[in-house]
Amino acid sequence: MNMMSFAVLSAMEAKGNLLLMEAAVFVLLLIRCVLAQQVPLDSAVQRSALLDLRSSLGLRSRDWPLRKEPCRSWRGVQCQNGQVIAINISGFKRTRIGRLNPRFAVDSLGNLTLLSSFNASGLSLPGSIPEWFGYRLPALQVLDLRSCSLSGSIPGSFGNLSRLNVLYLSGNSLAGNVPATLGELKKLSNLDLSRNLLTGQIPNAISLLGNLTRLNLASNFFTGQIPSGLYSLSSTQFLNLSDNALTGFIPSVVGNLDKLIELDLSKNSISGSLPLELRGLRNLEKLVISENGLEGQLSEGLFPTLDQLQVVDLSGNKLDGALPATLFLRPNLRFLDLSRNNFTGSWPILSTNGNASGAVFNISNNMLYGELNSSFGKFSLIDLSSNYFQGTVADDRGRNVSLGRNCLQSVASQRSSEDCRLFYAERGLSFDNFGVLEPMQPPVPQHEEKSSKRWIFILVGVFGGLGFIAILVIVLVLILRRCDKGIANQRGSADVGPVPEGDSTPPPKDPAIVSGVGDSFTYEQLLRATGNFSETNLIKKGHSGDLFKGTLAGGTTVVVKKVSLHSFKKESYMMELDLFSRVSHARLVPLLGQCLEHETEKLLVYKYMVCGDLASSLHRVTDLEDDSLQSLDWITRLKIAIGAAEGLSYLHHECNPPLVHRYRETCI
């Protein structure tokens, strides 16, 4: 017994000594790191390089004071054993000279041979990245140049940065092709080239980056098919190729990305159907393939294994068939957008889905029909508008449910009876006619039926003759009028008269009807949001009303158009409300709501666009003293033109009825 106690005590003592030794080692390492940081810069070459960088970039003495030790006192400078290993000048404010002459003047970095990290994100550095970057910084592991106003191309010498782990170049104006030498960066885990002007095809060399976990090539001008090798990057967790001009289809090897969390292929020209192999992405939380040309049905077997799905956006495609019930039953689903497709069939029963509480579903602009038997109270928002549902709906519907342009009973803003009847007749289905019973006709006696037929023949003959005479008169009148116009044109003048009033767009309907567009705000709410429409919040004086910037109580920034009926016609705001009651498109500024309670002032609330209006986007104001305007490059202008064309195409061809911008030609 005593021997056992002695053994236990000896073991405890040995374990305690081991813990003390480990703690001592940790403290020594910590002291060593602190002392390494406190060691002053011992290289005259590196000190000179930092001073040159301070001068060329126009950094303030408050951040990099001349009389203090760089390794100890300069903000963003990190040293180890008296050598500079990291520089972070992200978001620094500059001197007046630095602001007036910003440029990519970082040549002195080439003398910091041990530099492992350089972060200048958000700092304006106009110019191109020099080729020496890939030769004189062999220790570089992190390069962050996001939103630095860079231009030119990506240097091919980047392939020599064998230790590079993170490369962020997003939000610039880099153009040209992506160099294939990036495929030599075997340690690269994060690559972000989004929001640039890159062209050509995505190089196959990127498929060689086996350690890549994040790849973002969104908002460029890439063309061609997606390299199939990208779908074999088994370590990738985030893949974003959206807003390009990519074509082809999604291959079955996409199932190899078993660690993928987010997949975004939206705003391309991808065709084909969703492959069943997507069910292998068991960790997928976000699936966005909207605004493409996907076709076919969504298989019921595609979604049962995707239990982590939270966001699904397949809007703006050509998908058809029935809605898969298994998709709606995903336990973590919070946002689902299947709008603007060709889905048909009945609405799936969702009573077994207890996890839809707070979810947002958009299933609008499809061809779904039948009755709605589900309860919608558990949804945060569900949009079922522009379908063909009929019958009655549950009494728990409210502001969280959009049911416009259907065939429902006792619901406002539905389709016409003829539209609904034709839709159901084409499919051999019965239509309830909005709950109105057809009138019963009594049986007609046989002798009365023969008499009525005789009268029918007589009336047909009489009215047929009258109709023929009327048509003949109309034809003669048209011929005479055409002759008169020909004579007038021979005499005519080069002046073009005013457009007749009959050709103008008829005034919109009663404002009581269109006032339901968007949310309704009180006059006091918008007064507080705009600071009583103060001059400081005035954005500009428009042709149809003054625009004010405002902030709602929840912190949302909006634009409030103030239409004074003393200065503008009543039809000006009514036409805008009527327009937004019938159209909705990503290229049109969204109307969030209105306030029509004031007799002499009408207020329209729009989403605040951070980049300003089109006129502000076409030119950029530089920091030069003469306030000259610098024209945008042609590729950015092409993007603006394409966006404007998409909006006009929607107004001209997809609206019902179409909204055509007319113009007059002057003959000379």
Side-chain angles (χ1 to χ4, degrees), residues 41 108 183 186 248 265 341 381 397 442 474 625:
L41 187 64
S108 55
K186 305 302 181 181
L265 304 177
N341 279 285
L381 177 66
R397 70 182 189 277
I474 292 173
E625 294 181 355

Side-chain angles (χ1 to χ4, degrees), residues 43 69 101 116 121 285 306 326:
S43 170
E69 169 59 37
N101 187 30
S116 63
S121 60
E285 298 178 2
L306 305 181
T326 52

